[in-house]
Amino acid sequence: MWRSPQLRVLLRLRCSASYPPPPPPSISSVRSLSSSPPPPPPSDPASEIARSISAELATLSSTASAEDLRLRFPDLLPSPSLLPHVLAASHAAGRASIALHRWISGDSPSDSSVSQLVDFLGRRNDFAAVDQVLSESRGVCGPLTFRAAVDRLVGAGRATQAVAFFERMDRDFGLPRNEETMSFVVTALCRGGFPGHAERMAKALVAEFPPDQAICDTLIGGWCAVRKLHEARRFAGEVERGGFDITTAAYNALLDCTCKLCIEKDPLRMKPETEAVLLEMDERGVPRDAGTFKVLIANFCAIRQTGEALKLFERMGEWSCSADSETYVALIKSLYGAARVEEGDEMIGRMRDAGLGADLNAEAYGSFVKTLCHIRRLDHALKVFKMMRRDRRRPAAEIYEVLIRKLREHGRKNEADALFERAAKNGAALEPKVCEVNPRYVKKGEVKKKKLKRETLPMKTERKRLRLRKLRLSFVKKPKSGMRRAY
């Protein structure tokens, strides 16, 4: 009788009516409740639906249709906003994603949805399926689909297919062939490391699409990106003979390629080689811009010639140029790496005065902290870390790990434990690791010398016997390498 649920509910109601309500919780209980961890946030319904659809999608074959998904989810009304969530969760879907697109899009596919499907299939190098989707979506495909297809072809290393795709995209898929699409293909090929294919394509279409200054600069930059300076110089000569100018952007690419080659082969030749390029710019009347100084400063900082980088930085005003945030960050890292910490702090102040303080993000601060820890300036690294927290930047777990490890190596266990607790409160997932104190930072009074054990007579005899044996073996003639022994 007492196990009946109805009776249990009735008794609970009577007891609550006969007894007064409980008093309000005390301050201590409120504090204990507030210190407890908050409940987990409710899960996103769209994510749950996407996971369930992706689980069913993995069981379908490549010849599945939209009707199969409609039968498995009869009560679900699909929407186009659900497509990116399902594709992101369906890593092993394959061509079943085509059925998913048909089911979600229905009779009204869009350029955005088709581009998402093309990007998904191109990531798996299934370009036969991409052609099928583009053929079925003729009249719907637009610039988004075109860019997704070209980017995936170039990213997969299929430069020849990308050029062929441009040739037939008007005939097969209804995509327009114009100067804008041709420029996009050339830029994608240069960015992907195929400047030769891009140059041949531009020259083959010169009658249909005459080149402009932007195409010439892109091709020069493409040759420079793959470290082929002689090809870039050769094409720059053709550009000049064709009536175009070599702009500042092209010279910046040539400067960057020159610096990278000097870093690989002989860093000491960087200064004279770059001065020769700058002299050529002055002779041709090509002005320098902020990008020119950015390239030079970044490469001089890369070979730790901080003095040359600072000289270039101070000369930017002569050309009415101002440094951007990347230039400032490169200079600050180089100054910290050279143990010029006061000048590095001053450069941070100059960056803020220039109105670029918002660009001092967590990544930039983290690089400063790691650089200072690398040169064993731990106190200054902690100072920059506090500066980072003062600017409301959230440190990454990697920065916490570097600081905690260095603090323990320096024998500052209490500070390391406090930092570990702070990282746990901020949500950084860290694993406790054992780190021994570096003997360099152990105080003299803490070092305990081991007492040498007194050597007995048998131990002395054994030591002398081993020593004599080594001496005898040292006079034995060793066999030559490669010769076969007699036994």
Side-chain angles (χ1 to χ4, degrees):
M1 180 179 66
W2 291 99
R3 295 180 181 177
S4 173
Q6 292 84 0
L7 183 59
R8 199 179 307 126
V9 172
L10 182 62
L11 287 173
R12 189 180 298 114
L13 290 174
R14 288 183 178 179
C15 292
S16 61
S18 58
Y19 290 98
S26 62
I27 297 177
S28 60
S29 63
V30 171
R31 287 179 180 174
S32 63
L33 290 173
S34 63
S35 61
S36 60
S43 57
D44 188 10
S47 301
E48 292 183 359
I49 295 173
R51 284 193 294 268
S52 61
I53 295 175
S54 64
E56 293 292 335
L57 205 64
T59 62
L60 295 178
S61 63
S62 59
T63 58
S65 62
E67 189 65 26
D68 297 333
L69 286 169
R70 193 175 294 110
L71 292 174
R72 297 195 181 200
F73 299 95
D75 300 331
L76 179 62
L77 183 63
S79 63
S81 61
L82 193 62
L83 182 63
H85 297 284
V86 180
L87 291 178
S90 306
H91 300 288
R95 294 195 180 186
S97 58
I98 301 177
L100 171 72
H101 178 259
R102 292 170 182 167
W103 174 55
I104 290 181
S105 300
D107 298 331
S108 58
S110 63
D111 182 26
S112 176
S113 63
V114 176
S115 67
Q116 293 169 12
L117 180 61
V118 167
D119 184 78
F120 178 82
L121 294 170
R123 198 181 298 120
R124 284 149 184 78
N125 295 338
D126 193 357
F127 293 103
V130 170
D131 287 352
Q132 176 187 345
V133 170
L134 292 176
S135 299
E136 294 177 357
S137 305
R138 186 184 179 93
V140 179
C141 303
L144 295 178
T145 305
F146 163 73
R147 292 176 182 177
V150 172
D151 283 338
R152 285 303 168 190
L153 282 168
V154 175
R158 306 192 180 193
T160 306
Q161 291 187 22
V163 176
F165 175 79
F166 178 79
E167 293 292 336
R168 62 188 179 90
M169 68 181 193
D170 188 11
R171 181 182 66 253
D172 296 347
F173 311 126
L175 292 169
R177 293 173 70 252
N178 50 34
E179 294 181 359
E180 183 180 356
T181 53
M182 193 272 290
S183 176
F184 181 83
V185 176
V186 170
T187 305
L189 288 170
C190 291
R191 186 172 59 246
F194 302 100
H197 290 77
E199 183 181 346
R200 288 192 292 271
M201 175 183 172
K203 288 181 177 179
L205 299 173
V206 68
E208 187 177 359
F209 305 110
D212 55 1
Q213 189 68 56
I215 292 290
C216 297
D217 293 345
T218 301
L219 289 170
I220 293 174
W223 283 117
C224 292
V226 294
R227 308 283 194 275
K228 293 189 177 180
L229 185 59
H230 59 287
E231 292 289 344
R233 286 287 187 181
R234 187 262 312 162
F235 185 75
E238 294 181 7
V239 166
E240 197 171 10
R241 289 191 294 272
F244 294 97
D245 297 328
I246 305 178
T247 61
T248 306
Y251 269 112
N252 291 345
L254 292 170
L255 264 175
D256 191 36
C257 183
T258 303
C259 293
K260 294 294 191 300
L261 290 174
C262 289
I263 290 174
E264 292 177 2
K265 298 179 180 179
D266 188 4
L268 296 178
R269 293 194 58 185
M270 182 185 294
K271 187 177 179 180
E273 292 290 340
T274 54
E275 286 179 352
V277 178
L278 293 174
L279 182 61
E280 181 182 347
M281 291 177 65
D282 294 339
E283 290 176 353
R284 293 175 179 268
V286 181
R288 306 177 193 180
D289 61 356
T292 308
F293 289 97
K294 177 181 176 180
V295 166
L296 292 172
I297 290 172
N299 285 285
F300 274 114
C301 290
I303 60 172
R304 300 194 177 181
Q305 290 194 12
T306 312
E308 293 294 334
L310 284 174
K311 289 178 183 178
L312 290 167
F313 177 76
E314 298 298 338
R315 290 190 60 190
M316 292 183 70
E318 300 177 11
W319 298 86
S320 302
C321 300
S322 58
D324 59 355
S325 57
E326 295 181 8
T327 305
Y328 274 108
V329 169
L331 274 172
I332 294 166
K333 284 178 62 179
S334 184
L335 287 168
Y336 281 150
R340 299 163 70 170
V341 291
E342 290 81 8
E343 296 179 59
D345 295 342
E346 182 184 352
M347 191 63 66
I348 291 178
R350 294 179 67 174
M351 183 176 177
R352 287 189 176 128
D353 294 339
L356 301 174
D359 294 332
L360 282 169
N361 51 17
E363 185 179 357
Y365 272 119
S367 63
F368 301 157
V369 171
K370 287 192 287 187
T371 302
L372 289 167
C373 289
H374 182 70
I375 64 169
R376 299 169 185 166
R377 294 297 182 94
L378 186 55
D379 291 329
H380 209 85
L382 291 172
K383 177 183 175 182
V384 174
F385 182 76
K386 291 178 181 177
M387 193 187 306
M388 176 183 184
R389 289 178 48 220
R390 196 184 310 123
D391 290 346
R392 299 182 183 276
R393 304 292 188 264
R394 187 175 182 179
E398 181 185 4
I399 306 304
Y400 279 112
E401 289 179 354
V402 170
L403 282 173
I404 291 171
R405 186 179 70 250
K406 289 295 181 181
L407 284 170
R408 287 176 178 167
E409 286 181 359
H410 284 243
R412 300 160 70 169
K413 182 179 179 300
N414 295 333
E415 297 179 52
D417 294 341
L419 192 60
F420 186 85
E421 293 178 2
R422 184 182 297 277
K425 288 180 181 179
N426 293 338
L430 300 181
E431 296 181 0
K433 298 179 181 179
V434 178
C435 185
E436 297 181 356
V437 180
N438 194 329
R440 179 181 300 176
Y441 305 107
V442 177
K443 296 180 181 179
K444 294 182 179 180
E446 298 178 1
V447 179
K448 295 182 179 179
K449 295 183 178 180
K450 295 183 179 180
K451 294 183 179 180
L452 297 176
K453 190 176 180 181
R454 186 174 180 180
E455 199 173 23
T456 60
L457 184 60
M459 294 169 64
K460 288 182 180 180
T461 307
E462 182 66 20
R463 179 170 55 81
K464 290 180 180 179
R465 187 182 67 80
L466 291 175
R467 178 63 179 164
L468 289 173
R469 186 170 180 272
K470 288 181 181 179
L471 287 173
R472 285 196 302 269
L473 290 175
S474 64
F475 292 102
V476 178
K477 188 176 181 180
K478 307 296 187 300
K480 294 183 179 179
S481 60
M483 292 182 62
R484 188 174 179 181
R485 296 191 177 184
Y487 54 88

